[in-house]
Amino acid sequence: MRDVALLARVSNKTVSNVVNAHPHVHPATRARVQQAIDELGYRPNLSARGLRSGRTGVIGLAVPELRQPYFAELADAVIAAAEARNLSVILGQAGADRAHEMNVLAHGLRQTDGLLFSPERLGTEDRDLLHDVEYPLVMLGERIFGGPTDHVTMHNVAGARAAVEHLLGLGRRRIAVVGAHPDHRTGQLRPSDLRVQGYREALVAAGLPLDAGLERAVAPWHPENGADATRELLASGVEFDGIFALNDTLGIGILRALGEAGCRVPDDVAVIGFDNIANGQFTLPSLSSVDPGREEIAETAVAMLVERIESGTRTPQTPRLHKAAFHIVARESTGGSGRRA
Amino acid sequence: MRDVALLARVSNKTVSNVVNAHPHVHPATRARVQQAIDELGYRPNLSARGLRSGRTGVIGLAVPELRQPYFAELADAVIAAAEARNLSVILGQAGADRAHEMNVLAHGLRQTDGLLFSPERLGTEDRDLLHDVEYPLVMLGERIFGGPTDHVTMHNVAGARAAVEHLLGLGRRRIAVVGAHPDHRTGQLRPSDLRVQGYREALVAAGLPLDAGLERAVAPWHPENGADATRELLASGVEFDGIFALNDTLGIGILRALGEAGCRVPDDVAVIGFDNIANGQFTLPSLSSVDPGREEIAETAVAMLVERIESGTRTPQTPRLHKAAFHIVARESTGGSGRRA
DNA sequence: GTGAAAGCGCTAACAA
DNA sequence: TTGTTAGCGCTTTCAC
């Protein structure tokens, strides 16, 4: 920087002003400095800037596991949204490990100005932890809703309800749900609990009975577990003509188990998932789903986090909750077209 | 830090020594300092450390797109390998955009000590760019092999050859390959070129003829393109009893198109892919594949990058090439069992 | 084994 | 509009 200043015959401060696009710099000076920068190939040292300004220009994104397609696609969208604001993203995997998640929450990710956190183990019982957080934080999902923190999430209840209504609209009356939490409780705000709630609301609104035999617990949401639950459902002798998979990963396993058993989809059993991951387009039959608005979630979460960072943590605002718009994507597994739009 | 030093009645330097696990510190002093650290909740400022030491403790990983399952799984493994060494990972997406990739290569990712770079557009013709790189760099894949840089990659040729030999072992003699580069040239080191080379080697070694009608060009490697290529292959009237999909993403689309057309897999057509992404276990039928050794690639690449970082860029070493061990995973699409091991 | 002092590269505050 | 000064928090050097 000093070299640039000497070459352009200005002070450090003026170089700094040019680099930071400060408004009050004489155009001629700016050009001279810019030329010196180009000539010397000067690049600001971001550690120094970070030390001085207290900002690193890096945000953290903590997810359970990147190999789960939903989180990979979410990370993709978050990175894109961050890059559009000239921010970098450090990615952390908490591995669906409670201790690991508590550790992430306590300190954020190193070297970052703030954190987007999508936990998989922490829940309402950990709400108090949020009060001790001393860095800008935006939660993804509503697992720990009710604390002082901003949340960006999807319409879990309404989306699930719409999914089941979609099946009802096809004339299905015996609709199973696969993926309930083994310890389902209505007070909890886990995605599984909320989506089961939406499922029940849809049935009740349609005047249909709730049947415990149609609610299958699965944890974790992996395809093989979805397949196993479906095999058990088939073996149980319970009749059903539709399945609501609480996410697409389960749905893929469900399609697989139905196919093995010779069930025709959607003729015998219609299936709809949740998340609209890319892969659902290419199963056979292709998987209908609830598109939860991933891009909107990523964009909004990054925007909120940036606001929190720029306003400074010490300005306590009312916690905000944003739920992205969702929509039903009808594919072959509920009688829609399989070819891509 | 000063507060810690005052509380423990030592100097800054001693605190620094304790924090950095410096060996020559009196145990009693160490304990006293540690207690002060805990009491005050002191956490070192990493920007300051980075400024002073020239290291950030962050490495970069640049991939084309995280939403491609192969790269998501690779990133998962790289982050895990980095965390094991107490390093963070900044993830960049170059979006399969040549200019973007050149820009990444020119400067690395901001705030990082080094870069793991998996390009999708740069090729042998850009080899000279590697000479200008002034930061620790390890390339993933061999697209730009031949420069001064370390490479960690997979056995593209041998893996492909083994995949085709697997089909030959089932008695298949008319084996198609889907995913060749539209501009295939043997001199190129793109995965598509290398895998086609392995395909041809296997056929030639088995004394079978090469048939241009069996080599289908597809770009980019997306499931819908694999499905389209398969439909064209079926429509072309060329006979075939096996398909080698140059990656699993294509394979998923291929299975889909074969299913639509009423082809039985593996009875009529056996299919094998490449990459062994998680999803291949849950297609119907499940997809055989070449496991390219992703964990080994991630682990080795991080280890090499750390070596480069610690030795300092100015110690030029001979460029190294590491190819991970691969193996064939036989699933239902080639007559194996579909249930997970 | 520990301390004192210097300085990494930048920007905020103030001065001119 | 531009320059001067100070200092962010840490590690390094060298002295003790």
Side-chain angles (χ1 to χ4, degrees), chain B residues 145-167:
Chain B
F145 187 65
T149 314
D150 289 341
H151 289 251
V152 178
T153 183
M154 52 185 70
H155 281 286
N156 278 304
V157 177
R161 181 167 169 165
V164 175
E165 284 166 351
H166 178 64
L167 295 176

Side-chain angles (χ1 to χ4, degrees), chain A residues 5 95-96 128 179 185 207 223 263 265 271 289 294 322:
Chain A
D128 291 348
R185 288 197 307 266
C263 276
V265 177
V271 180
S289 194
R294 190 167 29 243
H322 180 93

